[in-house]
Amino acid sequence: VSPGRVKPALPAAYFISKGFSAMLKIAPSILSADFARLGEEIRSIETADYLHFDVMDGLFVPNISIGIPVLQSVRKITDMVLDVHLMITDPLRYVSDFLSAGADILVFHIESQAPDKTYETIRRVRAQGARVGLSLRPKTPWDILLPYLDELDLVLVMTVEPGFGGQAFMEDQLPKIAALRREIDRRGLKCELEVDGGINPDTARLCVEAGADVLVAGSAVFKAQDRAAMIASLRRAGEGSR
Ligand code: DX5
Ligand code: ZN
């Protein structure tokens, strides 16, 4: 490459031919960011694919994080895909608020409300033109999603108990990821399979081997000196594992 010339990006076919996981997406969680410098913190992760935004209400989980006004501010300063993870009771009540605030993907917990409200929440997110996902706590069995899977853009498997960053990865969730991968492929769905909690380059590899294609990482990315390098090494964790 001659000086001053930008090297062209490699085509996706190159990665596929190399057996890389070309479709692997990285989603840094800003829960581990410095909220007093949020704009700069977001700039530092823009080589990632999604920005993961954790909302906690102190009821569904024993912690309170950030909500609608922060999401509005974030929306104004970035074009990243905003992947909003609602850890709240009664998500149906807040669908319009989060979508108007700028969520691109709205993910809520299957355990947070009754099945009829789950269907209604999915329908309402879709009707407003956004993507919708359902999340599972570690103790929730994967097959609870069977009736909803065709309607979802994303499934989020929690690999820690939701509520806090910096916890240890739960290896016992790997069979759940594998079972969901098999069912998504069996049905030929485009539904993404995201994992969240305790993800670092080692656990990322296990998750990608099990079939995950979106990796959330909070402390691994924000505690790294060089965040772009950490995002790249999480991406590399998928190379050759699928
Ligand atoms: C936990 C949140 C996660 C959290 C992950 O309830 O849903 O998104 O930020 O943090 P790490 O990657 O540090 O486990
Ligand atoms: Zn999350």
Side-chain angles (χ1 to χ4, degrees):
V1 179
S2 58
R5 241 192 96 208
V6 178
K7 199 176 160 199
L10 291 164
Y14 171 86
F15 293 96
I16 292 161
S17 72
K18 293 279 178 194
F20 295 172
S21 178
M23 303 310 288
L24 187 64
K25 293 191 172 90
I26 310 299
S29 162
I30 58 165
L31 188 64
S32 297
D34 176 354
F35 289 123
R37 302 169 43 250
L38 194 49
E40 292 162 55
E41 296 282 79
I42 290 171
R43 291 281 99 79
S44 76
I45 54 141
E46 278 183 335
T47 54
D49 303 280
Y50 294 169
L51 185 158
H52 188 80
F53 190 100
D54 287 303
V55 180
M56 304 179 186
D57 66 353
L59 292 169
F60 183 72
V61 290
N63 193 11
I64 299 178
S65 60
I66 46 177
I68 293 152
V70 179
L71 186 61
Q72 286 168 335
S73 298
V74 168
R75 178 74 293 168
K76 285 189 199 130
I77 60 130
T78 186
D79 292 327
M80 289 181 81
V81 172
L82 301 182
D83 167 31
V84 175
H85 178 194
L86 298 180
M87 287 161 276
I88 63 173
T89 54
D90 207 2
L92 176 58
R93 182 171 164 195
Y94 297 99
V95 166
S96 294
D97 292 328
F98 281 102
L99 294 185
S100 322
D104 295 296
I105 310 175
L106 201 58
V107 183
F108 64 102
H109 272 263
I110 188 129
E111 308 89 353
S112 62
Q113 50 189 7
D116 58 328
K117 280 195 163 190
T118 299
Y119 282 114
E120 176 61 11
T121 307
I122 293 170
R123 198 195 60 74
R124 223 184 271 183
V125 177
R126 273 277 161 72
Q128 293 197 47
R131 289 190 256 167
V132 65
L134 270 174
S135 181
L136 300 176
R137 283 181 181 277
K139 284 194 192 71
T140 306
W142 71 275
D143 55 2
I144 197 172
L145 290 179
L146 286 173
Y148 307 97
L149 213 48
D150 291 344
E151 313 298 324
L152 300 175
D153 298 290
L154 183 144
V155 168
L156 170 52
V157 174
M158 290 305 300
T159 45
V160 297
E161 203 52 64
F164 299 91
Q167 304 181 76
F169 179 79
M170 296 169 68
E171 282 208 21
D172 62 357
Q173 297 303 299
L174 290 169
K176 186 191 281 187
I177 299 164
L180 279 159
R181 167 52 56 206
R182 276 194 299 275
E183 186 60 17
I184 289 168
D185 290 350
R186 194 184 68 77
R187 295 193 194 184
L189 303 175
K190 280 197 307 216
C191 181
E192 294 187 308
L193 184 51
E194 183 176 52
V195 289
D196 182 5
I199 301 297
N200 57 44
D202 296 329
T203 56
R205 176 170 291 277
L206 300 175
C207 290
V208 174
E209 278 167 4
D213 52 14
V214 185
L215 307 175
V216 176
S219 43
V221 169
F222 282 98
K223 291 210 176 2
Q225 289 286 10
D226 184 341
R227 286 150 185 194
M230 177 51 71
I231 289 164
S233 84
L234 289 167
R235 234 186 253 294
R236 273 197 305 275
E239 287 177 13
S241 19
R242 287 202 297 174

